[in-house]
Amino acid sequence: MSPDISSLWALCLILMLSGWCDASCAEVDSMTEAVVGKEFLLGCISCKKREEVSGAATVDWHFKPAGGNDSFHIFHYEYPRSTILHEDFNSRLEWRGTKGTEDLQIGAIANLNVTFDDVGTYTCTFERTLFLPLGDEHVTIKKTVELIVLAEEKPELTAVISEIMMYVTIVGLQLWLIAVLVYCYKKISAENEAREARKALREKNKLIDSKDTCDGVHLE
């Protein structure tokens, strides 16, 4: 599947999850292949173990470039405000996580214009506080995405299979046509041979009848 379509499906999933207040949460891994100049969704989902327990969370994203040793803090979200924290990502990151509540379970962000410099490791960190009757509980959850940036989209698997099947069909039709031509040729040849044989038999019978007629004539 291509990166744009994969991101679209992931986005649809995230929107559905964020829109269903009582729906069960499903932790889906992020896509890992982006295309330069396109939009890409960095997915990050952290489900609470108990839905009935209320809580609050913040989400932070860090980025470590490929081949680099240092990690940079690039994005922070705390309801209802998101903040881009690194100049390399100015105007390029957008919050696509849970909206309308501080009880976050989806921490996805969108890179609106991918560049080759975006290759590397992205770390999503949930800092969650669960409000329990006996006292608040603090939980930290981290998830990583190893991003690869492609110069152009890879052909979709379904498109490749369709193209292969098209060529197979064409070759199959050609072989079938050849087989039909060979069959027709053999059939016509056989009919011609049979016709010639019948013609030869008729000529032979005529000669025999003519000979019998001559043998029956008596000269006076």
Side-chain angles (χ1 to χ4, degrees):
M1 185 171 289
S2 68
D4 275 353
I5 294 177
S6 299
S7 297
L8 180 59
W9 278 110
L11 175 58
C12 290
L13 175 63
I14 285 174
L15 291 176
M16 286 189 294
L17 289 175
S18 60
W20 294 343
C21 296
D22 297 327
S24 59
C25 178
E27 297 191 10
V28 181
D29 291 337
S30 173
M31 300 294 105
T32 58
E33 292 184 350
V35 178
V36 67
K38 302 289 186 178
E39 179 178 316
F40 181 78
L41 187 71
L42 288 160
C44 180
I45 301 176
S46 174
C47 301
K48 291 192 307 183
K49 302 302 181 184
R50 296 175 60 185
E51 288 292 331
E52 69 274 12
V53 176
S54 61
T58 62
V59 175
D60 291 276
W61 281 89
H62 291 76
F63 170 60
K64 184 173 76 173
N69 297 320
D70 297 326
S71 182
F72 307 102
H73 195 184
I74 62 173
F75 190 89
H76 175 78
Y77 182 84
E78 183 172 2
Y79 176 77
R81 182 179 300 172
S82 61
T83 308
I84 300 174
L85 300 173
H86 197 279
E87 60 182 6
D88 290 348
F89 292 90
N90 280 344
S91 302
R92 292 201 298 135
L93 298 182
E94 184 177 278
W95 177 250
R96 296 287 177 85
T98 305
K99 296 180 179 179
T101 177
E102 62 180 357
D103 193 2
L104 309 175
Q105 295 192 73
I106 301 172
I109 59 174
N111 186 329
L112 304 177
N113 184 19
V114 176
T115 71
F116 285 115
D117 292 333
D118 296 336
V119 176
T121 303
Y122 293 80
T123 302
C124 168
T125 304
F126 276 84
E127 297 289 349
R128 174 175 290 139
T129 300
L130 300 174
F131 305 134
L132 302 174
L134 298 180
D136 296 346
E137 179 182 343
H138 184 75
V139 182
T140 300
I141 302 98
K142 291 188 177 184
K143 300 190 179 273
T144 59
V145 180
E146 298 290 340
L147 185 64
I148 300 171
V149 177
L150 307 175
E152 57 184 13
E153 295 181 17
K154 290 182 178 179
E156 295 182 40
L157 180 59
T158 52
V160 173
I161 293 176
S162 298
E163 188 173 354
I164 292 174
M165 291 304 298
M166 180 185 68
Y167 287 121
V168 169
T169 301
I170 292 174
V171 172
L173 288 174
Q174 290 177 339
L175 293 175
W176 176 80
L177 181 59
I178 292 173
V180 170
L181 291 175
V182 170
Y183 170 78
C184 292
Y185 174 77
K186 288 183 177 180
K187 186 174 183 180
I188 292 172
S189 297
E191 290 180 353
N192 286 335
E193 290 177 359
R195 186 162 50 251
E196 292 297 327
R198 290 194 296 271
K199 183 178 179 180
L201 182 60
R202 285 197 297 270
E203 293 295 330
K204 182 178 180 181
N205 290 337
K206 287 181 181 179
L207 289 175
I208 293 175
D209 292 341
S210 176
K211 181 179 179 182
D212 290 343
T213 301
C214 292
D215 290 343
V217 176
H218 299 286
L219 297 175
E220 295 182 357

